[in-house]
Amino acid sequence: MLMFPEILQAMIVGMMVAIPAILIYKKAGLNPAWAALVFLPVFGLLIVFLQLAFQEWPNSKQER
């Protein structure tokens, strides 16, 4: 029972990162379920940043 507060803290911090990531994915026109990658240990947030940086955004205005 002693571990409950640490788990609760980790969940709160995780949601503080996941909710903005969900909003970014929605505005970019991508599937917001990809934001669940932030919960992967060590490389999850890095994967999200790289995906958003290098993937073609369907909602972006293309100049031609």
Side-chain angles (χ1 to χ4, degrees):
M1 197 72 179
L2 197 58
M3 200 160 69
F4 181 72
E6 288 84 9
I7 292 173
L8 185 62
Q9 287 176 349
M11 288 174 55
I12 290 171
V13 170
M15 292 309 292
M16 289 175 63
V17 174
I19 290 173
I22 289 169
L23 295 175
I24 291 170
Y25 274 107
K26 282 183 181 179
K27 288 190 183 238
L30 301 169
N31 188 353
W34 284 104
L37 289 174
V38 299
F39 292 109
L40 288 177
V42 183
F43 295 112
L45 193 58
L46 178 65
I47 293 169
V48 169
F49 286 154
L50 289 174
Q51 183 184 24
L52 289 172
F54 295 113
Q55 186 174 7
E56 192 71 31
W57 289 19
N59 286 351
S60 67
K61 296 178 182 171
Q62 297 178 353
E63 297 178 15
R64 290 185 184 203

Coordinates of all heavy atoms in Angstrom, one line a residue:
M1 N 0.8 -1.2 0.0 CA 0.0 0.0 0.0 C 0.9 1.3 0.0 O 0.4 2.3 -0.3 CB -0.9 0.0 1.2 CG -2.0 0.9 1.1 SD -3.2 0.2 -0.1 CE -4.4 1.4 0.0
L2 N 2.1 1.1 0.3 CA 3.0 2.2 0.4 C 3.4 2.8 -1.0 O 3.7 3.9 -1.1 CB 4.3 1.8 1.1 CG 5.2 2.9 1.7 CD1 4.4 3.8 2.6 CD2 6.4 2.3 2.4
M3 N 3.2 2.0 -2.0 CA 3.6 2.4 -3.3 C 2.5 3.2 -4.1 O 2.7 3.8 -5.1 CB 3.9 1.2 -4.2 CG 4.8 1.5 -5.4 SD 5.7 0.1 -6.0 CE 4.4 -0.9 -6.7
F4 N 1.3 3.3 -3.5 CA 0.2 3.9 -4.2 C 0.5 5.4 -4.5 O 0.2 5.8 -5.6 CB -1.1 3.8 -3.4 CG -2.3 4.4 -4.1 CD1 -2.8 3.8 -5.2 CD2 -2.8 5.6 -3.6 CE1 -3.9 4.4 -5.9 CE2 -3.9 6.2 -4.3 CZ -4.4 5.6 -5.4
P5 N 1.0 6.2 -3.6 CA 1.2 7.6 -3.9 C 2.2 7.8 -5.1 O 2.0 8.7 -5.9 CB 1.8 8.2 -2.6 CG 1.3 7.3 -1.6 CD 1.2 5.9 -2.2
E6 N 3.2 7.0 -5.2 CA 4.2 7.1 -6.3 C 3.6 6.8 -7.6 O 3.8 7.4 -8.6 CB 5.4 6.2 -6.0 CG 6.3 6.7 -4.9 CD 5.9 6.2 -3.5 OE1 4.9 5.4 -3.5 OE2 6.4 6.7 -2.5
I7 N 2.7 5.7 -7.6 CA 2.0 5.4 -8.8 C 1.1 6.5 -9.2 O 1.0 6.9 -10.4 CB 1.3 4.0 -8.7 CG1 2.3 2.9 -8.5 CG2 0.3 3.8 -9.8 CD1 1.6 1.6 -8.2
L8 N 0.4 7.1 -8.3 CA -0.5 8.2 -8.6 C 0.2 9.4 -9.1 O -0.2 10.0 -10.1 CB -1.3 8.6 -7.3 CG -2.4 9.6 -7.5 CD1 -3.5 9.1 -8.4 CD2 -3.0 10.0 -6.1
Q9 N 1.4 9.7 -8.5 CA 2.2 10.8 -9.0 C 2.7 10.5 -10.5 O 2.7 11.4 -11.3 CB 3.4 11.0 -8.1 CG 3.1 11.6 -6.8 CD 4.3 11.7 -5.9 OE1 5.3 11.1 -6.2 NE2 4.2 12.4 -4.8
A10 N 3.1 9.3 -10.8 CA 3.5 9.0 -12.1 C 2.4 9.1 -13.1 O 2.6 9.6 -14.2 CB 4.1 7.6 -12.1
M11 N 1.2 8.7 -12.7 CA 0.0 8.8 -13.6 C -0.3 10.3 -13.9 O -0.6 10.6 -15.0 CB -1.2 8.1 -13.0 CG -1.0 6.6 -13.0 SD -2.4 5.7 -12.2 CE -3.8 6.4 -13.0
I12 N -0.2 11.1 -12.9 CA -0.5 12.5 -13.0 C 0.5 13.2 -14.0 O 0.1 13.9 -14.9 CB -0.6 13.2 -11.7 CG1 -1.8 12.8 -10.9 CG2 -0.6 14.8 -11.8 CD1 -1.9 13.2 -9.5
V13 N 1.8 12.9 -13.7 CA 2.8 13.5 -14.6 C 2.7 13.0 -16.0 O 2.8 13.7 -17.0 CB 4.2 13.2 -14.0 CG1 5.3 13.5 -15.0 CG2 4.4 13.9 -12.7
G14 N 2.3 11.7 -16.2 CA 2.1 11.1 -17.5 C 1.0 11.8 -18.2 O 1.1 12.1 -19.4
M15 N -0.1 12.0 -17.5 CA -1.2 12.7 -18.2 C -0.9 14.2 -18.5 O -1.5 14.7 -19.5 CB -2.5 12.6 -17.3 CG -3.0 11.2 -17.1 SD -3.3 10.4 -18.7 CE -4.6 11.3 -19.4
M16 N 0.0 14.8 -17.7 CA 0.4 16.2 -18.0 C 1.2 16.2 -19.3 O 1.2 17.3 -20.0 CB 1.2 16.7 -16.9 CG 0.4 17.0 -15.7 SD 1.4 17.6 -14.3 CE 2.1 19.1 -14.9
V17 N 1.8 15.1 -19.7 CA 2.5 15.1 -21.0 C 1.6 14.5 -22.1 O 1.6 15.0 -23.3 CB 3.7 14.2 -20.9 CG1 4.4 14.0 -22.2 CG2 4.7 14.8 -19.9
A18 N 0.7 13.6 -21.8 CA -0.1 12.9 -22.8 C -1.2 13.8 -23.3 O -1.5 13.8 -24.5 CB -0.7 11.6 -22.3
I19 N -1.9 14.6 -22.5 CA -3.0 15.4 -22.9 C -2.5 16.5 -24.0 O -3.2 16.6 -25.0 CB -3.7 16.0 -21.7 CG1 -4.4 14.9 -21.0 CG2 -4.7 17.1 -22.2 CD1 -5.1 15.4 -19.7
P20 N -1.4 17.2 -23.7 CA -1.0 18.1 -24.8 C -0.6 17.4 -26.1 O -0.8 17.9 -27.2 CB 0.2 18.8 -24.2 CG 0.0 18.7 -22.7 CD -0.7 17.4 -22.5
A21 N 0.0 16.2 -25.9 CA 0.4 15.4 -27.1 C -0.9 15.0 -27.9 O -0.9 15.1 -29.1 CB 1.2 14.2 -26.7
I22 N -1.9 14.6 -27.2 CA -3.2 14.3 -27.9 C -3.7 15.5 -28.6 O -4.1 15.4 -29.8 CB -4.2 13.8 -26.9 CG1 -3.8 12.4 -26.3 CG2 -5.6 13.7 -27.5 CD1 -4.6 11.9 -25.2
L23 N -3.7 16.7 -28.0 CA -4.2 17.9 -28.7 C -3.3 18.2 -29.9 O -3.9 18.7 -30.9 CB -4.2 19.0 -27.7 CG -5.2 18.9 -26.5 CD1 -5.0 20.0 -25.6 CD2 -6.6 18.8 -27.1
I24 N -2.0 18.0 -29.8 CA -1.2 18.3 -31.0 C -1.5 17.4 -32.1 O -1.5 17.8 -33.3 CB 0.3 18.2 -30.6 CG1 0.7 19.4 -29.6 CG2 1.2 18.3 -31.8 CD1 2.0 19.3 -29.0
Y25 N -1.6 16.1 -31.8 CA -1.9 15.1 -32.9 C -3.3 15.4 -33.5 O -3.4 15.3 -34.7 CB -2.0 13.7 -32.3 CG -0.6 13.0 -32.3 CD1 0.1 12.8 -31.1 CD2 0.0 12.6 -33.4 CE1 1.3 12.2 -31.0 CE2 1.2 11.9 -33.4 CZ 1.8 11.8 -32.2 OH 3.1 11.2 -32.2
K26 N -4.3 15.9 -32.7 CA -5.6 16.2 -33.3 C -5.5 17.4 -34.3 O -6.0 17.4 -35.4 CB -6.6 16.5 -32.2 CG -7.2 15.3 -31.6 CD -8.2 15.7 -30.5 CE -8.8 14.5 -29.8 NZ -9.8 14.9 -28.8
K27 N -4.7 18.4 -33.8 CA -4.6 19.6 -34.7 C -3.8 19.4 -35.9 O -3.9 20.0 -36.9 CB -4.0 20.8 -33.9 CG -4.9 21.3 -32.9 CD -4.4 22.6 -32.2 CE -5.4 23.1 -31.2 NZ -5.9 24.4 -31.5
A28 N -2.9 18.4 -35.8 CA -2.1 18.1 -37.0 C -2.8 17.2 -38.0 O -2.3 16.9 -39.1 CB -0.8 17.4 -36.5
G29 N -4.0 16.7 -37.6 CA -4.7 15.8 -38.4 C -4.3 14.3 -38.4 O -4.6 13.5 -39.2
L30 N -3.6 14.0 -37.3 CA -3.1 12.6 -37.1 C -3.9 11.9 -36.1 O -4.6 12.5 -35.3 CB -1.6 12.6 -36.7 CG -0.6 13.3 -37.7 CD1 0.7 13.5 -37.1 CD2 -0.5 12.5 -39.0
N31 N -3.8 10.6 -36.0 CA -4.5 9.8 -35.0 C -4.0 10.1 -33.6 O -2.8 9.9 -33.4 CB -4.4 8.3 -35.4 CG -5.3 7.5 -34.5 OD1 -5.9 7.9 -33.6 ND2 -5.3 6.2 -34.9
P32 N -4.8 10.6 -32.7 CA -4.4 10.9 -31.4 C -4.0 9.7 -30.5 O -3.3 9.9 -29.5 CB -5.5 11.7 -30.8 CG -6.7 11.4 -31.6 CD -6.2 11.0 -32.9
A33 N -4.3 8.5 -31.0 CA -3.8 7.4 -30.2 C -2.3 7.2 -30.2 O -1.8 6.5 -29.3 CB -4.5 6.1 -30.8
W34 N -1.6 7.8 -31.1 CA -0.2 7.8 -31.1 C 0.4 8.5 -29.9 O 1.6 8.2 -29.5 CB 0.4 8.5 -32.4 CG 0.3 7.6 -33.6 CD1 -0.6 7.8 -34.6 CD2 1.1 6.5 -33.9 NE1 -0.4 6.8 -35.6 CE2 0.6 6.0 -35.2 CE3 2.2 5.9 -33.3 CZ2 1.2 4.9 -35.8 CZ3 2.7 4.8 -33.9 CH2 2.2 4.3 -35.1
A35 N -0.4 9.3 -29.2 CA 0.1 10.0 -28.0 C 0.4 9.0 -26.9 O 1.1 9.3 -25.9 CB -0.9 11.0 -27.6
A36 N -0.2 7.8 -27.0 CA 0.1 6.8 -25.9 C 1.5 6.4 -25.9 O 2.0 5.8 -24.9 CB -0.8 5.6 -26.2
L37 N 2.3 6.7 -26.9 CA 3.7 6.3 -26.9 C 4.5 7.1 -25.8 O 5.6 6.6 -25.4 CB 4.3 6.7 -28.3 CG 3.9 5.8 -29.4 CD1 4.5 6.3 -30.7 CD2 4.4 4.4 -29.2
V38 N 4.0 8.2 -25.3 CA 4.7 8.9 -24.2 C 4.8 8.0 -23.0 O 5.6 8.4 -22.1 CB 4.0 10.2 -23.9 CG1 4.0 11.2 -25.1 CG2 2.7 10.1 -23.4
F39 N 4.0 7.0 -22.8 CA 4.1 6.2 -21.7 C 5.1 5.1 -21.8 O 5.3 4.3 -20.8 CB 2.7 5.5 -21.4 CG 1.7 6.6 -20.9 CD1 0.6 6.9 -21.8 CD2 1.8 7.2 -19.7 CE1 -0.3 7.9 -21.4 CE2 0.9 8.1 -19.3 CZ -0.2 8.5 -20.1
L40 N 5.8 4.9 -22.9 CA 6.9 4.0 -23.0 C 8.1 4.5 -22.3 O 8.5 5.7 -22.4 CB 7.3 3.8 -24.5 CG 6.3 3.1 -25.4 CD1 6.9 3.1 -26.8 CD2 6.2 1.6 -24.9
P41 N 8.7 3.7 -21.5 CA 9.9 4.1 -20.7 C 11.0 4.5 -21.6 O 11.2 3.9 -22.7 CB 10.2 2.9 -19.8 CG 9.1 2.0 -19.9 CD 8.3 2.3 -21.2
V42 N 11.8 5.5 -21.2 CA 13.0 6.0 -21.8 C 12.8 6.7 -23.2 O 13.1 7.8 -23.3 CB 14.1 4.9 -22.0 CG1 15.4 5.4 -22.5 CG2 14.3 4.2 -20.6
F43 N 12.3 5.9 -24.2 CA 12.3 6.5 -25.6 C 10.9 6.9 -26.0 O 10.8 7.4 -27.2 CB 12.8 5.5 -26.5 CG 14.3 5.1 -26.3 CD1 14.6 3.9 -25.9 CD2 15.2 6.1 -26.5 CE1 16.0 3.6 -25.7 CE2 16.6 5.8 -26.3 CZ 16.9 4.5 -25.9
G44 N 9.9 6.8 -25.2 CA 8.5 7.1 -25.7 C 8.3 8.6 -26.1 O 7.8 8.8 -27.2
L45 N 8.7 9.5 -25.3 CA 8.6 10.9 -25.6 C 9.5 11.3 -26.8 O 9.1 12.1 -27.7 CB 8.9 11.8 -24.4 CG 8.5 13.2 -24.5 CD1 7.0 13.4 -24.7 CD2 8.9 13.9 -23.2
L46 N 10.6 10.7 -26.9 CA 11.5 10.9 -28.1 C 10.9 10.5 -29.3 O 10.9 11.2 -30.4 CB 12.9 10.2 -27.8 CG 13.9 10.4 -29.0 CD1 14.3 11.8 -29.1 CD2 15.1 9.5 -28.7
I47 N 10.2 9.3 -29.3 CA 9.5 8.8 -30.5 C 8.4 9.7 -30.9 O 8.3 10.0 -32.1 CB 9.0 7.4 -30.2 CG1 10.2 6.4 -30.1 CG2 8.1 6.9 -31.4 CD1 9.7 5.0 -29.6
V48 N 7.7 10.3 -30.0 CA 6.6 11.2 -30.3 C 7.1 12.4 -30.9 O 6.6 12.9 -32.0 CB 5.8 11.5 -29.0 CG1 4.8 12.7 -29.3 CG2 5.0 10.3 -28.6
F49 N 8.2 13.0 -30.4 CA 8.8 14.2 -30.9 C 9.3 14.0 -32.3 O 9.1 14.8 -33.2 CB 9.9 14.7 -30.0 CG 9.5 15.4 -28.8 CD1 10.3 15.4 -27.7 CD2 8.2 16.0 -28.7 CE1 9.9 16.0 -26.5 CE2 7.8 16.6 -27.5 CZ 8.6 16.6 -26.4
L50 N 10.0 12.9 -32.5 CA 10.5 12.6 -33.9 C 9.4 12.3 -34.9 O 9.5 12.8 -36.1 CB 11.5 11.3 -33.8 CG 12.8 11.6 -33.1 CD1 13.6 10.3 -33.0 CD2 13.6 12.6 -33.8
Q51 N 8.4 11.7 -34.5 CA 7.3 11.4 -35.4 C 6.6 12.7 -35.8 O 6.3 13.0 -37.0 CB 6.2 10.5 -34.7 CG 5.1 10.2 -35.7 CD 4.0 9.3 -35.0 OE1 3.9 9.4 -33.7 NE2 3.3 8.6 -35.7
L52 N 6.4 13.6 -34.8 CA 5.8 14.9 -35.2 C 6.7 15.8 -36.0 O 6.2 16.6 -36.8 CB 5.3 15.6 -33.9 CG 4.2 15.0 -33.1 CD1 4.0 15.7 -31.8 CD2 2.9 15.1 -34.0
A53 N 8.0 15.7 -35.8 CA 8.9 16.5 -36.5 C 9.1 16.1 -38.0 O 9.2 17.0 -38.8 CB 10.3 16.5 -35.8
F54 N 9.1 14.8 -38.2 CA 9.5 14.4 -39.6 C 8.3 13.8 -40.4 O 8.5 13.5 -41.6 CB 10.6 13.3 -39.5 CG 11.9 13.9 -38.9 CD1 12.4 13.5 -37.7 CD2 12.5 14.9 -39.6 CE1 13.5 14.1 -37.2 CE2 13.7 15.4 -39.2 CZ 14.2 15.0 -37.9
Q55 N 7.2 13.6 -39.8 CA 6.0 13.0 -40.5 C 5.3 14.1 -41.3 O 5.2 15.2 -40.8 CB 5.1 12.3 -39.6 CG 4.0 11.5 -40.3 CD 3.1 10.7 -39.4 OE1 3.3 10.8 -38.2 NE2 2.2 10.0 -39.9
E56 N 4.7 13.8 -42.4 CA 3.9 14.7 -43.2 C 2.6 15.0 -42.5 O 1.9 14.0 -42.1 CB 3.7 14.2 -44.6 CG 3.1 15.2 -45.5 CD 4.1 16.2 -45.9 OE1 5.3 15.9 -46.0 OE2 3.7 17.4 -46.2
W57 N 2.3 16.2 -42.2 CA 1.0 16.5 -41.5 C -0.1 16.7 -42.5 O 0.0 17.6 -43.4 CB 1.2 17.8 -40.7 CG 2.0 17.7 -39.5 CD1 3.0 16.7 -39.2 CD2 2.0 18.5 -38.3 NE1 3.5 16.9 -38.0 CE2 3.0 18.0 -37.4 CE3 1.3 19.7 -38.0 CZ2 3.3 18.6 -36.2 CZ3 1.6 20.3 -36.8 CH2 2.5 19.8 -35.9
P58 N -1.2 16.0 -42.4 CA -2.3 16.1 -43.4 C -2.9 17.5 -43.3 O -3.4 18.0 -44.4 CB -3.3 15.1 -42.9 CG -2.5 14.1 -42.1 CD -1.4 14.8 -41.5
N59 N -2.9 18.2 -42.2 CA -3.5 19.5 -42.1 C -2.6 20.7 -42.5 O -3.0 21.8 -42.5 CB -4.1 19.8 -40.7 CG -5.3 18.9 -40.4 OD1 -5.8 18.3 -41.3 ND2 -5.7 18.9 -39.2
S60 N -1.4 20.4 -42.8 CA -0.4 21.5 -43.1 C -0.7 22.0 -44.5 O -1.1 21.3 -45.5 CB 1.0 21.0 -43.1 OG 1.3 20.1 -44.1
K61 N -0.5 23.3 -44.7 CA -0.7 24.0 -45.9 C 0.5 23.8 -46.8 O 1.6 24.2 -46.3 CB -1.1 25.5 -45.7 CG -2.3 25.6 -45.0 CD -2.6 27.1 -44.7 CE -3.9 27.3 -44.0 NZ -4.1 28.6 -43.5
Q62 N 0.4 23.3 -47.9 CA 1.6 23.1 -48.8 C 1.7 24.2 -49.8 O 0.8 24.6 -50.4 CB 1.4 21.8 -49.5 CG 1.4 20.6 -48.6 CD 1.2 19.3 -49.4 OE1 1.0 19.3 -50.6 NE2 1.3 18.2 -48.7
E63 N 2.9 24.7 -49.9 CA 3.2 25.8 -50.8 C 3.8 25.2 -52.1 O 4.7 24.5 -52.0 CB 4.2 26.8 -50.2 CG 3.7 27.5 -49.0 CD 4.7 28.4 -48.4 OE1 5.7 28.7 -49.0 OE2 4.5 28.8 -47.2
R64 N 3.2 25.6 -53.2 CA 3.7 25.0 -54.5 C 3.8 26.2 -55.5 O 3.1 27.1 -55.6 CB 2.8 24.0 -55.0 CG 2.9 22.7 -54.2 CD 2.1 21.6 -54.8 NE 2.2 20.5 -53.8 CZ 2.0 19.3 -54.2 NH1 1.7 19.0 -55.5 NH2 2.1 18.3 -53.4

